[in-house]
Amino acid sequence: MLGAGTAALAVTAPPAAAATTPHRVLFDNSKAETAGNADWIIGTSQPDPLGQKASPTTEKDWTGALSAWGVALQKTGDYSLKTLPSGNTITYGTSSALDLQNFDTFVLPEPNVLLSASEKTAVMKFVQNGGGLFMISDHINSDRNNDGADAVEVLNDLMTNNSVDSTDPFGFSIDSLNIGTDNPRAVSNTTDPVLNGSFGKVTGSIIRNGTTATLKPADNPAVKGLVYRTGSSGNTGAFFATSTFGSGRVAFWGDSSPIDDGTGQSGNTLFNGWDDPAGTDAALALNGTEWLAGAAGSSGGGDGGGGGGGTCTAAQLLANPGFESGASAWSGTSGVITTDSGEAARTGSYKAWLSGYGSAHTDTLSQSVSVPAGCTSAKLSFYLHVDTAETTTTTAYDTLKAQVVDGSGTVLSTLATYSNLNAGSGYTLRTLDLGGYAGQTVTVKFTGTEGSQLQTSFVIDDTSLDVS
């Protein structure tokens, strides 16, 4: 942490009219975010911080070490903020007013309690279906409530031990480190919306006992490091990173010190990292929230333009959706679209059969499609049958990734990953959300990757991309 705490300076909000529909942000306080000296809340009035002061002007109008963050967002008029209080459960798809389906962004500021199985499912489905997840870690052994889990373990457990996708879904893992002091620098980039958002230019951040992440672009090509520990670059030492999963977005920050504004509840030892001149932490937090909430005008991996206005006629957009015209309209590995009797089609004679060789092999299948700008719903559906000779019930040796890529082949999003663990009799309908790509021409791509032994077949039939 830093030296003696001082009152945080007010962040100047970007001049903007209030949004017609405010961007809805939920800050978590259900995982011991105020244990010990931590005070990672935007205000003590929960769930609604406006209960303390409806029109805050400085961070001291709300009580909490994240109040500068909350007040800066509130002052724009473009955000609706809530807190999930202690004692609550993280949910997705319920009738609760604090259910994740009612929010655009979910902030986990140094959680110190492992999420339950149902909570991890809720968070992953929230992101997969278009939500934004802001994960803020701290150093290893920062177990503030002494329950045996620190933020590094909590967040890694979320990514590696969930029922939705545990095959490195975001493309990074959090390092088990305690880095004492460093002033990480931002990469040189004039277009990234997090580094160049409406809250200011990001030049760097601070570490005062924190950690970093190791990036794994082979698992999710959308992952990218934006701020790096001194002396690090590429796939190691990323202090702030972004990625996508399904239709949603993810941001990672390796220390809670930068979000600490030095003000909060009596009795806590707090330090003003928010305004530390060694970093531009306020801009990084606020731009990150803006991007995660979809307010930055970018979609997918954060570099492309979002959909604008226009009209939408309900339609099915994929050509040759059942493969009955052979390889027409589809690109990929020769022979993937086939009438081979080794695997039955769901309907008709043709299907797409990826992998199934029992040796190291990669198959692809793709089709370019333009999603009309006025469409508010775009659902990719397909029937998938997975047949495998693998006997494991725990390890995904062979995978099928459903992805969205741009015209140059850059992966914008990995919508879902299936594996030998999804094997079963018959076909299962899978539906994925492409609503974030309205107004864009993108390519839907399936990639089957098989290990060195024991076959797994991924058989696809009766595809569709329905817009309305």
Side-chain angles (χ1 to χ4, degrees), residues 130-147:
L133 176 63
F134 208 144
M135 301 193 301
I136 300 165
S137 185
D138 202 4
H139 58 90
I140 194 70
N141 297 325
S142 57
D143 181 9
R144 298 179 186 269
N145 62 337
N146 298 313
D147 70 341

Side-chain angles (χ1 to χ4, degrees), residues 132-402:
L133 176 63
F134 208 144
M135 301 193 301
I136 300 165
S137 185
D138 202 4
H139 58 90
I140 194 70
N141 297 325
S142 57
D143 181 9
R144 298 179 186 269
N145 62 337
N146 298 313
D147 70 341
D150 56 40
V152 174
E153 294 166 303
V154 171
L155 297 174
N156 276 334
D157 179 69
L158 168 64
M159 295 185 288
T160 62
N161 184 26
N162 68 81
S163 66
V164 178
D165 188 339
S166 294
T167 59
D168 194 21
F170 305 154
F172 65 85
S173 60
I174 303 173
D175 302 324
S176 295
L177 297 174
N178 183 356
I179 303 166
T181 299
D182 190 42
N183 299 322
R185 297 297 88 191
V187 299
S188 178
N189 188 306
T190 59
T191 61
D192 183 89
V194 175
L195 299 181
N196 304 277
S198 65
F199 291 94
K201 175 72 175 179
V202 173
T203 58
S205 186
I206 63 168
I207 299 178
R208 304 296 184 262
N209 294 108
T211 189
T212 54
T214 297
L215 310 187
K216 303 174 185 178
D219 294 337
N220 186 336
V223 69
K224 56 184 176 180
L226 300 184
V227 180
Y228 282 86
R229 179 184 183 184
T230 301
S232 297
S233 62
N235 294 335
T236 60
F239 183 57
F240 195 103
T242 59
S243 188
T244 64
F245 174 65
S247 300
R249 305 171 182 180
V250 179
F252 160 80
W253 208 341
D255 190 5
S256 55
S257 297
I259 58 173
D260 185 346
D261 65 19
T263 71
Q265 300 178 85
S266 176
N268 289 326
T269 303
L270 301 169
F271 306 91
N272 185 11
W274 184 259
D275 296 307
D276 191 304
T280 47
D281 298 310
L284 186 52
L286 297 167
N287 287 348
T289 311
E290 180 180 58
W291 177 72
L292 288 168
S298 61
S299 66
D303 294 325
T311 60
C312 180
T313 300
Q316 193 291 110
L317 303 181
L318 291 179
N320 188 22
F323 309 113
E324 294 307 307
S325 296
S328 174
W330 295 91
S331 300
T333 308
S334 177
V336 160
I337 297 176
T338 178
T339 60
D340 190 305
S341 61
E343 291 286 351
R346 177 178 177 269
T347 61
S349 301
Y350 283 87
K351 69 278 177 178
W353 182 354
L354 293 83
S355 301
Y357 290 85
S359 59
H361 186 83
T362 299
D363 282 327
T364 62
L365 176 72
S366 63
Q367 183 176 147
S368 178
V369 63
S370 297
V371 182
C375 294
T376 59
S377 175
K379 302 293 185 183
L380 172 66
S381 298
F382 55 94
Y383 284 86
L384 175 64
H385 169 56
V386 181
D387 172 79
T388 187
E390 301 283 0
T391 58
T392 179
T393 59
T394 59
T395 305
Y397 289 114
D398 312 310
T399 62
L400 175 74
K401 291 188 176 184

